[in-house]
Amino acid sequence: MTTVRVGLGERSYDVVIEAGLLARAADRLLPLARGRVMPIVTDENVLPHLETLRAALGAAGVASEAIVLPPGESTKSWAMLEQLSDRLLDLGVERGDHVIALGGGVIGDLVGFACSILKRGCGFVQVPTTLLAQVDSSVGGKTAINTRAGKNLIGAFHQPALVLIDPTVLETLPPRQVRAGYAEVVKYGLIDDADFFAWCEANGAALLAGDLPLREHAIAYSVAAKARIVAEDERETRGRRALLNLGHTFGHALEAETGFSERLFHGEGVAAGMALAYGFSAAQGIAPHAAAARVTEHLRAVGLPDGLATAGVSASGKTLVGHMLHDKKMDAGTLPFLLARDIGESYVDKAVDLGAVEAFLDAQGR
Ligand code: GLY
């Protein structure tokens, strides 16, 4: 068992990582239940884990109420926010109560946002069931829904009171989903930890094949890395948290081009985006070509997209840069890029020439 503390003053909380934790979750949840009914919000794909969690709570004398939403990105909508908020209000949720978000990033983001506004903010607990949610979205308090103008454009920073991560829930996840989440694990190595990237090179394939101790290590390491960054820059105002967006600007363009659809999962877009960020850094003479090659080789070795072709994108540089200009990271008319000087040496560059990005992307397409 590993416990990582996210140190945010009065908003500090623990992230507990342990195989089999779901069945033992009541020990952690009992103090938050206050003798009241705990709402558990989940989606239709997570029903077996819902049963495990409800049984564990029931055995500890905690009553729960399940709210099961449709799976998929379209659940992060105004309509679902309204529906969920009404259900939680009907259940009489109070500010001091805790709603459990049991699911992937969609459930975590929607429930977190609903709880940020319910009675001006009630408590919630993240119980992430995808690798992507376990190593990224469940930690750090970013919550949001999508609108017709784009993804995650309406949201709030609202930290959970507790995050419970059971790596065994990944065993029932489709391998493609686990692989996509693994891109965010690799990201922590590329941001500022060359040793961890080397660990990924050595262990990534076995982790993806199902090795539980390796999965547990990667999750705990990733969560600790994220907790450090979030504690330094909770609201992404000091530049530090922006590093977590490595690969996301290029990746956003690829996701937009593929219609934010199942053609390219978010983690797959991030993988290809990280390869492009390193490739662009090398093309600009900022990073050694050998560093970009290592990134590409590792992503390819584990079956993740490593560029435009493997992401299934053939659009021009102009089209892709056009998508980037709709990115929510736009800042006073400029688009900050996450570039790298080497493996584990990423930085934010606010003066990237978009013409050079276009030319680089056009060259990739050839
Ligand atoms: N997923 C990026 C962040 O939490 O800041």
Side-chain angles (χ1 to χ4, degrees):
M1 198 237 322
T2 307
T3 301
V4 176
R5 184 86 178 149
V6 184
L8 291 168
E10 62 182 12
R11 292 180 308 288
S12 297
Y13 53 96
D14 284 342
V15 182
V16 185
I17 302 125
E18 187 183 18
L21 182 59
L22 209 54
R24 294 188 288 277
D27 294 348
R28 304 280 174 170
L29 294 171
L30 201 54
L32 300 177
R34 310 189 308 159
R36 292 166 53 75
V37 175
M38 288 195 104
I40 306 175
V41 186
T42 192
D43 74 42
E44 287 152 11
N45 289 340
V46 188
L47 295 181
H49 303 315
L50 174 67
E51 289 318 310
T52 308
L53 183 57
R54 292 195 78 183
L57 286 173
V62 179
S64 60
E65 180 77 31
I67 302 174
V68 183
L69 304 178
E73 193 67 32
S74 57
T75 288
K76 274 174 62 172
S77 64
W78 283 115
M80 278 294 164
L81 177 68
E82 182 177 11
Q83 205 173 304
L84 174 60
S85 304
D86 283 341
R87 275 296 296 282
L88 294 173
L89 289 171
D90 289 346
L91 287 173
V93 171
E94 298 174 356
R95 266 191 197 168
D97 289 336
H98 290 85
V99 179
I100 300 175
L102 173 70
V106 167
I107 289 293
D109 281 10
L110 174 72
V111 174
F113 185 44
C115 291
S116 79
I117 51 178
L118 196 101
K119 300 195 174 164
R120 301 207 173 95
C122 72
F124 81 115
V125 176
Q126 291 270 22
V127 186
T129 57
T130 64
L131 183 57
L132 191 129
Q134 292 183 341
V135 299
D136 182 32
S137 60
S138 68
V139 178
K142 278 190 180 175
T143 74
I145 57 167
N146 305 327
T147 68
R148 63 177 184 195
K151 277 183 68 173
N152 295 330
L153 295 182
I154 299 289
F157 287 96
H158 187 54
Q159 300 293 344
L162 177 69
V163 183
L164 299 179
I165 299 180
D166 182 347
T168 66
V169 302
L170 303 180
E171 284 159 14
T172 52
L173 207 63
R176 184 180 165 204
Q177 286 273 12
V178 181
R179 233 181 359 258
Y182 175 73
E184 301 274 4
V185 174
V186 174
K187 184 183 79 175
Y188 293 108
L190 294 179
I191 287 175
D192 63 358
D193 192 339
D195 289 345
F196 186 58
F197 181 71
W199 184 92
C200 289
E201 288 177 310
N203 298 291
L207 179 161
L208 289 170
D211 186 299
L212 187 58
L214 291 179
R215 287 182 173 187
E216 218 171 319
H217 176 79
I219 294 166
Y221 205 94
S222 301
V223 166
K226 178 147 189 187
R228 263 195 312 276
I229 291 174
V230 168
E232 285 170 33
D233 183 16
E234 182 182 9
R235 289 180 170 249
E236 208 168 305
T237 50
R238 296 184 205 136
R240 187 81 183 127
R241 187 162 182 168
L243 293 175
L244 295 172
N245 297 326
L246 177 64
H248 284 61
T249 300
F250 285 101
H252 174 88
L254 304 179
E255 284 184 89
E257 186 60 23
T258 47
F260 293 102
S261 70
E262 303 246 315
R263 281 170 60 196
L264 188 71
F265 289 163
H266 175 67
E268 294 170 337
V270 169
M274 292 190 299
L276 291 169
Y278 267 79
F280 181 71
S281 301
Q284 295 294 296
I286 298 165
H289 283 283
R294 261 180 85 187
V295 175
T296 304
E297 273 157 29
H298 181 52
L299 296 174
R300 197 176 297 160
V302 297
L304 279 165
D306 61 352
L308 297 188
T310 43
V313 170
S314 58
S316 68
K318 194 173 175 52
T319 301
L320 294 172
V321 168
H323 289 311
M324 291 178 190
L325 295 176
H326 289 103
D327 197 299
K328 68 180 171 309
K329 294 182 282 298
M330 285 293 290
D331 184 19
T334 63
L335 181 57
F337 274 78
L338 274 291
L339 300 184
R341 298 188 182 89
D342 208 334
I343 301 288
E345 292 182 32
S346 300
Y347 70 100
V348 182
D349 193 325
K350 294 190 172 169
V352 169
D353 172 11
L354 293 182
V357 176
E358 270 186 40
F360 166 76
L361 290 169
D362 281 334
Q364 302 304 299
R366 275 192 223 120

